[in-house]
């Protein structure tokens, strides 16, 4: 409801195991429009690469975060000939980071791999997967995911005066990042302007083609373990100082709820309170960016600006390299890669920035602490926010 | 065979009298289970919309088409339905425009609304 826009959803701050778990290794496979490899092959490369990056052995793995529950995780158990603990809700981004940190701190497992890969399948407008996710009325109406975010954008423009060129600014900024990332799917196409976005074909008004994420093949994995064990490994551990997950709905038409109460808002407030950090302390961000409007809405929910001010907030390079809140420095889902379950990309770019191992022209100078947000399922579906800090 | 009707049934809590949508086993406001089914007048205002230029493959023959969320007059804050906006020029679709139910396929949960001629 509208009157809840500015209401405090914090409540009592849960006792997150602050600093008890850490990210210790990561690996990205090739991200491409058309992979010649199977999803399993990409996933295995990602797991093996992340484990080697951490200085661990494959047999050290005892927990897994991956989409698809038991069916989704079985391949790695068979591959390693080892029973594994299935961690949390299987969301391989900040949600999984928070859940894995809790599992590790509680002693259910010690070395958790977070992994996802895809080859061949597509989200949309190809039929199967979208039709499975977008339920009921939506399915019968034939609109694709962009149609729901488009309606969210239309309402935001109506209610707050947000302009299409402000949405476009998000795509322009993340494309700039992608041009500095040789692994990105879109970087080689070069930079884009606000006019390029506005003149790209309409997908679902007010969203244009370049307001939408890409849809491609690729895999990634990262490894988490306890802070004690992390101390003896190859890289500087990235500690999880705060982590919170929350969900609201599994149906896409729940934008009609007037955006509130927002699960994103709750996760951001709690994660930052657990970590004891404020917005100004953050050196970089990972913000889920399936569409340009998503970023604007999430920055509002996460408290970087007031509700309704997200459009103005992203103008002037705020999210760019050298901006106040450098965000999605790999190019994001809009220009780096979207492999169907892409929230882990945001975690990995933050980790690699903190380790200072990305290409020099997009490497931030000495970053120490970051916020990573994860959205899943529907417009108001699953959310997770973590605070990640270099130890 | 889907049954087309021209009426939407909405639930109303017998305790706190709030309307709700979609169908739920209890009132989301007071959690009472006692409920009545009320025939909506089917009129309302457009809350948001999009003109779809891309759609599921079997709907591509229809593009561009308008889809929106309609806040029904009985309870604009809690009863909002997703539906097609029809019988209207696409560039005339506006948030807050007055609409009425044109058709309703309750089995598939598909509704279409058209501009109100006169009220």
């Amino acid at each position: 409801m509208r009157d809840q826009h500015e209401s405090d959803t914090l409540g009592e701050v849960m006792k997150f195991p602050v600093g008890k778990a850490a990210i210790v290794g990561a690996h990205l496979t090739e991200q491409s429009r058309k992979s010649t490899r199977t999803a399993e092959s990409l996933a295995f490369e990602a797991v093996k690469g992340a484990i080697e990056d951490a200085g661990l052995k494959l047999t050290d793995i005892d927990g897994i975060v991956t989409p698809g529950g038991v069916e989704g995780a079985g391949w790695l158990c068979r591959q390693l000939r080892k029973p594994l603990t299935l961690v949390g809700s299987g969301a391989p981004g900040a949600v999984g980071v928070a859940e894995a940190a809790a599992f590790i701190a509680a002693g259910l497992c010690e070395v958790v791999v977070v992994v996802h890969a895809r080859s061949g399948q597509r989200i949309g407008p190809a039929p199967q997967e979208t039709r499975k996710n977008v339920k009921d009325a939506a399915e019968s109406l034939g609109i694709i995911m962009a149609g729901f975010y488009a309606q969210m954008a239309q309402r935001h423009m109506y209610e707050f005066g947000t302009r299409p060129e402000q949405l476009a600014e998000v795509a322009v900024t993340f494309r700039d990042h992608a041009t500095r990332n040789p692994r990105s799917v879109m970087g080689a196409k070069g930079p884009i302007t606000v006019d390029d976005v506005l003149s790209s074909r309409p997908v679902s008004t007010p969203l244009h083609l370049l307001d939408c994420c890409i849809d491609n093949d690729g895999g990634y994995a990262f490894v988490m373990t306890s802070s004690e064990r992390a101390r003896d490994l190859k890289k500087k551990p990235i500690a999880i100082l705060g982590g919170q997950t929350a969900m609201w709905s599994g149906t896409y038409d729940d934008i009609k709820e007037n955006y509130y109460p927002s699960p994103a808002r709750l996760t951001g407030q709690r994660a930052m309170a657990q970590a004891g950090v404020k917005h100004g302390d953050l050196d970089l961000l990972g913000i889920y960016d399936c569409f340009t409007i998503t970023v604007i809405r999430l920055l509002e929910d996460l408290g970087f600006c007031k509700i309704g001010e997200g459009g103005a907030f992203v103008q002037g390079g705020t999210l760019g390299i050298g901006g106040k809140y450098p965000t999605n420095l790999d190019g994001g889902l809009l220009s780096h890669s979207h492999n169907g379950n892409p929230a882990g990309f945001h975690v990995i770019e933050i980790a690699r920035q903190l380790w200072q191992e990305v290409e020099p022209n997009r490497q931030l100078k000495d970053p120490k602490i970051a916020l990573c947000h994860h959205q899943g399922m529907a417009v108001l579906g699953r959310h997770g926010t973590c605070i990640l800090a270099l130890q | 065979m889907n049954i087309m009707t021209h009426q939407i049934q909405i639930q109303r809590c017998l305790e706190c009298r709030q309307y709700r949508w979609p169908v739920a086993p209890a009132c989301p406001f007071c959690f009472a289970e006692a409920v009545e089914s009320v025939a909506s007048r089917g009129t309302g205002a457009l809350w948001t919309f999009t003109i779809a230029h891309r759609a599921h493959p079997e709907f591509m023959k229809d593009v561009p088409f308008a889809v929106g969320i309609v806040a029904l007059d009985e309870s604009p804050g809690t009863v909002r339905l997703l539906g097609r906006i029809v019988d209207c020029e696409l560039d005339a679709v506006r948030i807050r425009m007055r609409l009425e139910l044109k058709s309703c396929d309750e089995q598939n949960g598909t509704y279409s609304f058209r501009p109100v001629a006169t009220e």
Side-chain angles (χ1 to χ4, degrees), chain B residues 57-88:
Chain B
E58 64 268 45
F59 291 88
M60 278 302 287
K61 64 183 182 337
D62 296 344
V63 298
F65 59 87
V67 165
I69 291 174
V70 182
L72 293 187
D73 290 339
E74 281 84 0
S75 182
T78 63
V79 181
R80 293 179 182 161
L81 280 69
L82 187 66
R84 280 269 188 117
I85 314 302
V86 298
D87 299 345
C88 178

Side-chain angles (χ1 to χ4, degrees), chain B residues 16-77:
Chain B
C16 74
R17 306 304 290 160
Q18 283 264 26
Y19 292 96
R20 64 181 187 251
W21 184 268
V23 170
C27 176
F29 306 98
C30 75
F31 311 134
E33 290 159 89
V35 68
E36 64 177 339
S37 181
V38 178
S40 165
R41 292 192 299 277
T43 57
L46 190 59
W47 191 76
T48 188
F49 71 96
T50 184
I51 310 297
H53 292 262
R54 282 290 180 279
H56 286 296
E58 64 268 45
F59 291 88
M60 278 302 287
K61 64 183 182 337
D62 296 344
V63 298
F65 59 87
V67 165
I69 291 174
V70 182
L72 293 187
D73 290 339
E74 281 84 0
S75 182

Side-chain angles (χ1 to χ4, degrees), chain A residues 200-220:
Chain A
S200 62
R201 66 173 166 81
V203 171
S204 202
T205 64
L207 299 182
H208 309 83
L209 182 65
L210 293 178
D211 285 299
C212 305
C213 62
I214 46 179
D215 198 10
N216 55 270
D217 295 329
Y220 63 78

Side-chain angles (χ1 to χ4, degrees), chain A residues 34-107:
Chain A
K34 192 167 171 53
S35 177
T36 54
R37 296 165 57 186
T38 63
E40 291 74 18
S41 151
L42 293 170
F44 184 71
E45 180 202 318
V47 169
K48 191 177 171 196
I51 284 289
E52 284 173 356
D53 193 43
L56 287 160
K57 299 191 300 292
L58 282 167
T59 48
D60 290 327
I61 297 171
D62 62 1
I64 178 170
V65 174
T66 202
V70 172
E71 289 172 27
W75 73 273
L76 189 60
C77 305
R78 289 191 297 274
Q79 186 67 58
L80 302 180
R81 294 168 47 82
K82 181 179 178 182
L84 302 175
T85 300
L86 183 57
V87 176
S89 58
V95 168
V97 170
E99 291 172 341
F103 269 57
I104 289 166

Side-chain angles (χ1 to χ4, degrees), chain A residues 14-283:
Chain A
M14 301 297 182
K15 284 182 185 153
F16 183 79
V18 176
K20 299 286 190 196
I23 297 169
V24 292
H27 184 87
L28 292 169
T29 70
E30 182 189 42
Q31 311 296 318
S32 68
R33 287 290 194 185
K34 192 167 171 53
S35 177
T36 54
R37 296 165 57 186
T38 63
E40 291 74 18
S41 151
L42 293 170
F44 184 71
E45 180 202 318
V47 169
K48 191 177 171 196
I51 284 289
E52 284 173 356
D53 193 43
L56 287 160
K57 299 191 300 292
L58 282 167
T59 48
D60 290 327
I61 297 171
D62 62 1
I64 178 170
V65 174
T66 202
V70 172
E71 289 172 27
W75 73 273
L76 189 60
C77 305
R78 289 191 297 274
Q79 186 67 58
L80 302 180
R81 294 168 47 82
K82 181 179 178 182
L84 302 175
T85 300
L86 183 57
V87 176
S89 58
V95 168
V97 170
E99 291 172 341
F103 269 57
I104 289 166
L108 275 78
C109 44
E110 194 184 14
V111 175
V112 176
V113 63
V114 182
V115 56
H116 179 66
R118 179 176 70 170
S119 181
Q121 291 178 320
R122 290 292 179 267
I123 289 183
Q128 320 91 340
E129 209 179 334
T130 318
R131 288 189 67 91
K132 203 166 57 195
N133 291 344
V134 181
K135 296 185 178 76
D136 308 327
E139 186 172 304
S140 316
L141 286 166
I143 55 173
I144 56 176
M145 282 184 198
F148 294 96
Y149 288 89
Q151 291 181 80
M152 180 193 264
Q154 192 84 259
R155 183 70 197 181
H156 204 271
M157 289 164 64
Y158 170 81
E159 221 171 305
F160 305 115
T162 309
R163 299 192 305 277
E165 56 267 34
Q166 294 175 322
L167 271 60
E169 184 95 9
V170 175
V172 169
T173 302
F174 294 172
R175 176 62 68 84
D176 173 60
H177 300 167
T179 63
R180 302 157 187 257
N181 178 4
R183 295 168 173 278
S184 70
V185 172
M186 299 301 281
K189 291 185 182 285
I192 53 174
T193 64
V194 167
D195 282 343
D196 289 334
V197 180
L198 299 182
S199 60
S200 62
R201 66 173 166 81
V203 171
S204 202
T205 64
L207 299 182
H208 309 83
L209 182 65
L210 293 178
D211 285 299
C212 305
C213 62
I214 46 179
D215 198 10
N216 55 270
D217 295 329
Y220 63 78
F222 56 94
V223 181
M224 293 175 59
T225 190
S226 65
S227 294
E228 293 82 57
R229 189 154 180 183
R231 276 196 287 270
D232 304 325
L233 298 178
K234 254 162 68 176
K235 312 180 83 140
K236 281 189 182 174
I238 294 170
I240 320 305
L241 299 188
Q244 184 70 43
T245 76
M247 66 162 286
W248 172 249
S249 116
T251 69
Y252 278 78
D253 65 337
D254 265 350
I255 44 170
K256 69 179 180 289
E257 301 291 349
N258 236 359
Y259 326 139
Y260 285 84
S262 156
R265 186 178 178 85
L266 181 143
T267 64
Q269 288 181 335
R270 284 198 178 162
M272 290 177 71
Q274 289 156 357
V277 300
K278 301 199 178 335
H279 296 90
D281 301 330
L282 300 165
D283 297 320

